[in-house]
Amino acid sequence: MIEELNQRSRDVLRAVIDAYLETGGPIGSRSLARRLGSTLSPATLRNVMADLEEMGLLQAPHSSAGRLPTEAGLSLFVHGILEIGALGEDEQRDLEDRFASVGGHFDRMLEQAGEVISGLSSCAGLVLAPKIDRPLRQIDFVHLGPGRAMVVLVTEDGMVENRVMEVPLGIPSSSLTMAGNFLTTRLAGRTLDETRAAIEGEIMAHQAQLDELAARVVQQGLAIWLGQGENRRLIVRGRSQLLKDVEALGDLDRIGRLFEALEMRESMTRLIELTKDAEGVQIFVGAENAAFAGTGCSLVVSPYLDSQERIIGAVGVIGPTRMNYARIVPMVDYTAQLLGRLIAPPPMSKMGGEKTGKGFQQA
């Protein structure tokens, strides 16, 4: 449709959307004429806006109001008109500084990514955790209380990730220690996938020197880490950010539907995994994805890569359709680059070095 618009129509659409992104409200022809600072009269602008309305790109809240963009208009703007630059050096350093205190703790790094991108964008931050497939050094099980333990995984390169799991009530510490020692002995230097079948077979054949409770802990721990069907962990931070802009989102019912969508982790994981076939940032405006139909929200998401340029996870934000795309897209892009370098740094990598991302892709 962008090819059907002449330059005047594009300029008017851009100006209406710029005003909407700033204020969340409609703009009339007189205000639009002042914003454009051109020789176009309000009458001419009304005619252009009427044409854009007929094309389904603008709408009027009521007959005497100005015009607002429709989701189709916003989508056309984002995918065909919007100009997006790179994140400034100061903003890059700010992001890097925010990650500096986390160190090599895998879980904290992912949590930090979600919190940072949420705070800077004033949207909900999303992080799809990578599947752990790097060689391991150690696995421990730590008792947390009745029926609960933490399984701690340490990779050979020093990354640490935790999971809370259910364990049999009354299990002694000796069984947890036995389970950790059993897995550490068999996993050291290898990945979970490489040893899963052998470990499960050994338990089934009663060849392992484990008591019954320790064997159950081992099996449950493996199931959690391997995801039981490749489920991926989705971290969501900053839901409350979306409540700050109730007027732009519409009403509480629509916000409620958005929160329901965020809780549908399986659907959200599938949505974010769309990045596996794309390079750079993707933008889904409103109902471009069924998960956001009727919510008045958009998704900006980018994959992050390991040192072999393989996609291992994704980071993004969910916010109102009137989010500041020009600012948020490069922010998501650089956060994905940064997270990839921190999780899987290439040899002799230097933090803050040249940009390695592949730009952005608008879906």
Side-chain angles (χ1 to χ4, degrees), residues 39-355:
T39 58
L40 296 177
S41 68
T44 300
L45 291 173
R46 282 195 294 273
N47 289 334
V48 175
M49 288 194 287
D51 291 339
L52 293 172
E53 187 173 0
E54 286 185 8
M55 298 176 70
L57 302 177
L58 297 182
Q59 60 183 328
H62 50 82
S63 58
S64 61
R67 297 297 192 274
L68 292 167
T70 62
E71 282 194 356
L74 280 169
S75 178
L76 181 66
F77 169 76
V78 167
H79 299 321
I81 300 177
L82 179 66
E83 297 177 0
I84 298 175
L87 202 65
E89 292 185 2
D90 289 344
E91 293 174 301
Q92 290 182 16
R93 283 193 293 270
D94 181 46
L95 275 172
E96 292 165 7
D97 290 344
R98 290 169 184 259
F99 281 94
S101 62
V102 178
H105 196 288
F106 188 82
D107 272 353
R108 292 176 187 168
M109 195 176 298
L110 297 175
E111 298 280 349
Q112 180 79 339
E115 291 172 3
V116 166
I117 198 69
S118 171
L120 293 178
S121 67
S122 297
C123 299
L126 308 174
V127 180
L128 182 65
K131 178 183 175 184
I132 299 297
D133 60 357
R134 63 185 70 190
L136 305 175
R137 179 194 303 167
Q138 183 176 349
I139 288 184
D140 290 315
F141 295 89
V142 181
H143 188 264
L144 295 178
R148 297 173 72 245
M150 178 181 292
V151 53
V152 182
L153 181 149
V154 184
T155 66
E156 278 194 340
D157 52 6
M159 287 293 180
V160 181
E161 188 171 359
N162 306 323
R163 290 284 191 281
V164 175
M165 59 178 288
E166 295 182 359
V167 294
L169 288 172
I171 186 171
S173 298
S174 58
S175 292
L176 294 178
T177 300
M178 186 182 299
N181 291 340
F182 172 81
L183 286 175
T184 296
T185 299
R186 288 154 179 80
L187 287 171
R190 295 186 287 179
T191 68
L192 286 168
D193 278 338
E194 289 172 343
T195 57
R196 178 182 189 179
I199 291 173
E200 292 180 341
E202 188 172 347
I203 293 174
M204 293 296 293
H206 302 289
Q207 296 174 357
Q209 299 301 310
L210 292 172
D211 61 35
E212 181 180 354
L213 292 178
R216 287 170 61 185
V217 170
V218 167
Q219 290 173 319
Q220 290 171 350
L222 285 175
I224 287 174
W225 284 110
L226 291 166
Q228 291 183 326
E230 306 302 323
N231 290 329
R232 305 286 293 279
R233 188 162 68 106
L234 180 65
I235 298 167
V236 182
R237 291 291 178 269
R239 290 175 176 84
S240 61
Q241 294 277 13
L242 299 171
L243 294 172
K244 297 178 180 178
D245 203 3
V246 174
E247 183 178 353
L249 287 172
D251 53 35
L252 290 177
D253 287 340
R254 281 162 55 176
I255 294 177
R257 288 196 296 272
L258 171 62
F259 286 168
E260 288 175 6
L262 294 179
E263 293 298 333
M264 294 171 60
R265 290 179 176 265
E266 183 178 351
S267 297
M268 290 303 304
T269 300
R270 287 200 303 269
L271 176 61
I272 295 181
E273 284 187 329
L274 290 173
T275 59
K276 69 182 180 182
D277 297 322
E279 293 184 352
V281 182
Q282 294 188 89
I283 306 171
F284 299 89
V285 178
E288 284 182 342
N289 191 281
F292 298 134
T295 66
C297 291
S298 297
L299 171 71
V300 178
V301 62
S302 175
Y304 54 91
L305 316 177
D306 64 12
S307 56
Q308 283 76 49
E309 297 292 303
R310 297 173 300 183
I311 293 174
I312 56 175
V315 61
V317 301
I318 292 178
T321 53
R322 60 175 290 257
M323 71 170 72
N324 187 342
Y325 297 96
R327 177 174 179 268
I328 289 176
V329 168
M331 185 186 302
V332 169
D333 184 28
Y334 192 75
T335 301
Q337 296 172 43
L338 184 59
L339 191 57
R341 296 204 301 267
L342 289 169
I343 290 178
M348 303 301 291
S349 65
K350 294 183 180 180
M351 283 300 302
E354 65 175 308
K355 184 175 178 179

